[in-house]
Amino acid sequence: MLISELAELTGVSARALRHYEDCGLLTPARSGSGYRVYTESDVTRVAQIRTMISAGLGTSAIRRYLDCVRTGDHGTFLEMCPDLRAELDSLARRLDARQAELREKRSRLDRLTSAG
Amino acid sequence: MLISELAELTGVSARALRHYEDCGLLTPARSGSGYRVYTESDVTRVAQIRTMISAGLGTSAIRRYLDCVRTGDHGTFLEMCPDLRAELDSLARRLDARQAELREKRSRLDRLTSAG
DNA sequence: GTAAGGGTTCACGCCGGCGTGAAGGTCAAG
DNA sequence: CTTGACCTTCACGCCGGCGTGAACCCTTAC
Ligand SMILES: [Zn+2]
Ligand SMILES: [Zn+2]
Ligand SMILES: [Zn+2]
Ligand SMILES: [Zn+2]
């Protein structure tokens, strides 16, 4: 399928799909005229990518994640690369930190609005 | 006082103080040689600015806030400009939205890490 | 004189997923 | 042939408080 069809199937913009290729998350084949040609398995793959992006992962982490999954050199998903596991943990900590920071902001804003 | 002294008194970098002037939050006098000359009241003012920035306010909102306070055309702080009050409310809503979004990210990340 | 330690303005970089053109090729349909 | 809907690559913009130079002036101390 071509890019617009994959875009419609996944609900992801064509620009985003091209961006995912730039980041190494997708490697579609090319037709004779240079058009990107996707497989049906790319639909699943894009869904996975969207899930991870919505979890806060950056494209580089996603790429390593997908590579780790594809090569399967670490068995199950639970046995991830140590550095990948460490990155996920550090991301969790950063999310917690940002959450606490947001709570602080929110309370400070309340104090500003009420006490002026 | 000169900029480095105000920076040391407030714990804010000289670059940030110049930035605040660019945004209209500070209007220091100038010496004959062009140096910024600050008043002691600027120490309090910078503290107010830092409080509002740590509450998530942008410089433009802070400027309108300070203008509203300085002109005093709306009485007490509790009687703020309607649009300023609206902006603070919308900021609160955005903070809540980002907080919910972060919670979602966090739970999705947990699901990723555990269920793979 | 000169070196050091202030000060000044100007301006790019960051962080990153993606929007949004611009300029141009491909391919169907009328 | 021409229109139009696709596709391509290249590249800047966003969001914003501030770091971080570069290039240059003022003042004091030696
Ligand atoms: Zn691996
Ligand atoms: Zn007012
Ligand atoms: Zn970037
Ligand atoms: Zn900006």
Side-chain angles (χ1 to χ4, degrees):
Chain A
M1 68 182 74
L2 294 187
I3 195 171
S4 68
E5 189 175 356
L6 182 60
E8 193 172 4
L9 279 181
T10 59
V12 175
S13 73
R15 176 64 177 95
L17 295 177
R18 280 178 261 235
H19 178 60
Y20 296 159
E21 183 180 4
D22 289 342
C23 299
L25 306 184
L26 293 174
T27 15
R30 295 299 181 120
S31 76
S33 56
Y35 289 11
R36 272 168 258 253
V37 179
Y38 295 94
T39 317
E40 296 179 13
S41 66
D42 284 327
V43 177
T44 306
R45 197 177 180 84
V46 169
Q48 291 177 6
I49 294 174
R50 285 307 314 173
T51 298
M52 305 176 82
I53 282 188
S54 70
L57 288 178
T59 55
S60 66
I62 296 179
R63 190 159 78 96
R64 281 185 290 166
Y65 191 99
L66 291 178
D67 284 351
C68 178
V69 168
R70 187 182 42 191
T71 61
D73 59 346
H74 291 89
T76 72
F77 294 101
L78 290 175
E79 280 180 52
M80 290 185 284
C81 295
D83 52 345
L84 180 57
R85 165 71 77 169
E87 182 153 348
L88 291 184
D89 287 349
S90 90
L91 173 60
R93 273 173 287 170
R94 284 191 300 173
L95 286 183
D96 289 344
R98 281 200 58 77
Q99 208 162 351
E101 186 183 348
L102 266 187
R103 264 195 291 271
E104 271 299 315
K105 270 185 203 277
R106 184 64 166 96
S107 65
R108 279 196 272 255
L109 180 60
D110 270 350
R111 269 175 276 171
L112 256 184
T113 311
S114 61
Chain B
M1 67 181 73
L2 295 187
I3 196 171
S4 66
E5 188 174 358
L6 181 60
E8 193 172 3
L9 280 181
T10 59
V12 175
S13 73
R15 175 65 178 95
L17 294 177
R18 279 180 263 241
H19 178 60
Y20 296 158
E21 184 180 4
D22 289 341
C23 299
L25 306 184
L26 293 174
T27 16
R30 296 299 180 120
S31 75
S33 57
Y35 289 13
R36 273 168 256 253
V37 178
Y38 295 94
T39 317
E40 296 180 13
S41 66
D42 284 327
V43 177
T44 306
R45 196 177 181 84
V46 169
Q48 291 178 7
I49 295 174
R50 287 305 315 175
T51 299
M52 306 175 82
I53 284 188
S54 69
L57 287 178
T59 55
S60 66
I62 296 179
R63 191 159 76 95
R64 282 185 288 167
Y65 191 101
L66 291 178
D67 285 350
C68 179
V69 168
R70 188 182 43 191
T71 60
D73 60 346
H74 291 89
T76 71
F77 294 101
L78 290 174
E79 280 180 52
M80 290 183 286
C81 295
D83 52 344
L84 180 57
R85 165 71 77 169
E87 183 154 346
L88 292 185
D89 287 349
S90 88
L91 173 61
R93 273 174 287 171
R94 286 191 298 174
L95 285 183
D96 289 345
R98 283 199 58 76
Q99 206 162 351
E101 187 183 347
L102 266 186
R103 265 195 292 268
E104 271 301 314
K105 271 185 203 277
R106 184 64 165 95
S107 66
R108 278 196 272 255
L109 180 60
D110 270 350
R111 269 174 277 169
L112 256 184
T113 310
S114 61

